[in-house]
Amino acid sequence: MRQAAARRFQHAVVTGGAGFVGSHLCTALLDQGTAVTCVDDFCTGTPGNVAHLAGRPGFTLLRADVTEPFAVERSADLVLHFASPASPADYLRLPLHTLETGSLGTRNALALARRHGARFILASTSEAYGDPQQHPQSENYWGNVNPVGPRSVYDEAKRFGEAFTTAEAGVNGTDAGIVRLFNTYGPRMRGYDGRAVPTFIRQALAGEPLTVTGDGRQTRSLAYVDDTVRGILAMAASDLLGPVNIGNPVEITMLDLARTVIELTGSESTVRFIERPTDDPAVRCPDITLARGKLQWEPLVPAAEGLARTIRWYRERAAAD
Ligand code: NAD
């Protein structure tokens, strides 16, 4: 396997670069000396997420919907395909756009990588495992997805994207890799995007009850965004096709997460139990043996620290508003 340090990129195209994970990825790439073209249609992201990069040499923001073929003039040696609504609230609001971004968007991003002879990375997801019957989930588990359930527009689009990427690598020799990202949190998640961490922090800071779905015993494994970005860049620097799980194997129940956020914010909030969404997975935990062995990657930021950093960001932003 090619050593991570030996592979340097001159110019990366990041689709979905104005979203939560994408904006951190753009920053990390610029920090390592890689020029970035951020391609986004702003359906769930905003130019504000990359406003801090506007003056930096090598950064270009291009408004485009990747479901339509798109071109980038300057030669690129890395394409990171991160465009896709990702929170359940977003993909349930944008079901057809989510399916088209995972299918047509992946095809167009792969075509761009092929034209440029670039390394291609697909942002897939732990949702590819659906409501898993294997725990923790390793990459050779095929998953348990309801193809016509409400979450299918996201889960199946990502699974299709994985199939397309694998076929493209086999048929056309495109240098492709697939990362299956598990729940990631951090600054720039929208307070109303419906995901647990921003929802709980917003509610705790407002002194409102924290809305925990079901009995709160369902688990997630939460990775701080800096860890996830480091894993993605390690995958880009390798020549692996994958898929490779990138996530934090430390599992937490949603009730414990709510209590931790209350404690870290010093809030007076209580917990209120609400109905659990259809097909909501009961457990979620990555087996990261492959990432540890092949990428020498593992998460470093403990939940208490990552949550404290995220809470600080929400407080500072509220103070600036
Ligand atoms: P996000 O909604 O914050 O970012 C997605 C970005 O993609 C947004 O800026 C949006 O405007 C853009 N986009 C969507 N469709 C587009 C299209 N057709 N053309 C151009 N731009 C488009 O979500 P996120 O949490 O940052 O997720 C980023 C990627 O990582 C997604 O592909 C998601 O599936 C994947 N992922 C994220 C997580 C997580 O926990 N955050 C977990 C697993 C996978």
Side-chain angles (χ1 to χ4, degrees):
M1 196 184 79
R2 198 182 277 126
Q3 289 303 303
R7 199 165 186 179
R8 293 233 157 258
F9 298 102
Q10 300 296 315
H11 176 212
V13 175
V14 183
T15 75
F20 157 54
V21 177
S23 63
H24 288 274
L25 201 46
C26 291
T27 306
L29 284 160
L30 288 167
D31 286 350
Q32 70 176 34
T34 301
V36 172
T37 299
C38 165
V39 182
D40 208 294
D41 70 353
F42 308 129
C43 67
T44 61
T46 66
N49 281 338
V50 287
H52 62 292
L53 303 177
R56 283 186 67 165
F59 181 74
T60 307
L61 178 58
L62 174 67
R63 181 174 197 154
D65 177 348
V66 298
T67 65
E68 302 290 336
F70 63 101
V72 172
E73 276 168 27
R74 178 175 169 190
S75 154
D77 49 7
L78 177 63
V79 175
L80 297 144
H81 181 41
F82 278 64
S84 173
S87 95
D90 287 335
Y91 61 70
L92 294 175
R93 183 173 56 84
L94 300 166
L96 295 177
H97 191 59
T98 302
L99 280 164
E100 288 174 356
T101 303
S103 53
L104 302 174
T106 302
R107 179 196 63 184
N108 292 334
L110 277 165
L112 181 82
R114 186 169 69 241
R115 284 199 305 276
H116 286 258
R119 170 96 167 132
F120 175 89
I121 298 294
L122 173 72
S124 186
T125 170
S126 56
E127 301 289 337
Y129 300 120
D131 190 2
Q133 292 170 336
Q134 184 193 89
H135 193 67
Q137 294 83 55
S138 58
E139 291 83 351
N140 57 15
Y141 174 54
W142 295 350
N144 176 36
V145 173
N146 175 356
V148 292
R151 302 173 79 97
S152 63
V153 295
Y154 182 64
D155 303 7
E156 296 292 17
K158 290 290 181 178
R159 288 165 67 99
F160 178 87
E162 289 198 14
F164 208 136
T165 301
T166 307
E168 168 71 23
V171 173
N172 292 318
T174 300
D175 175 12
I178 300 166
V179 282
R180 286 193 184 139
L181 307 181
F182 282 63
N183 291 88
T184 297
Y185 69 95
R188 298 196 206 109
M189 292 182 97
R190 284 168 294 133
Y192 285 91
D193 89 355
R195 293 184 270 195
V197 170
T199 304
F200 289 166
I201 294 177
R202 171 177 57 75
Q203 292 169 330
L205 293 179
E208 294 167 4
L210 275 63
T211 46
V212 172
T213 63
D215 61 9
R217 279 190 293 177
Q218 68 276 20
T219 68
R220 295 293 182 271
S221 305
L222 300 173
Y224 187 65
V225 64
D226 289 2
D227 280 334
T228 299
V229 164
R230 207 167 30 80
I232 294 162
L233 293 180
M235 183 67 178
S238 79
D239 54 9
L240 291 178
L241 172 58
V244 176
N245 287 341
I246 297 292
N248 192 325
V250 178
E251 225 174 328
I252 184 167
T253 69
M254 288 301 93
L255 185 55
D256 283 343
L257 177 65
R259 288 180 176 143
T260 305
V261 169
I262 288 173
E263 193 184 311
L264 290 171
T265 50
S267 171
E268 303 278 299
S269 292
T270 53
V271 166
R272 183 157 63 87
F273 293 95
I274 60 169
E275 198 182 335
R276 187 126 166 250
T278 311
D279 294 341
D280 186 46
V283 289
R284 197 42 79 62
C285 180
D287 177 336
I288 59 164
T289 309
L290 197 57
R292 278 198 174 109
K294 298 281 188 189
L295 303 176
Q296 291 77 53
W297 173 88
E298 62 181 356
L300 300 174
V301 182
E305 187 183 329
L307 287 169
R309 285 188 208 171
T310 310
I311 290 165
R312 198 177 319 131
W313 181 81
Y314 279 95
R315 281 205 161 110
E316 284 167 6
R317 211 184 52 146
D321 282 348

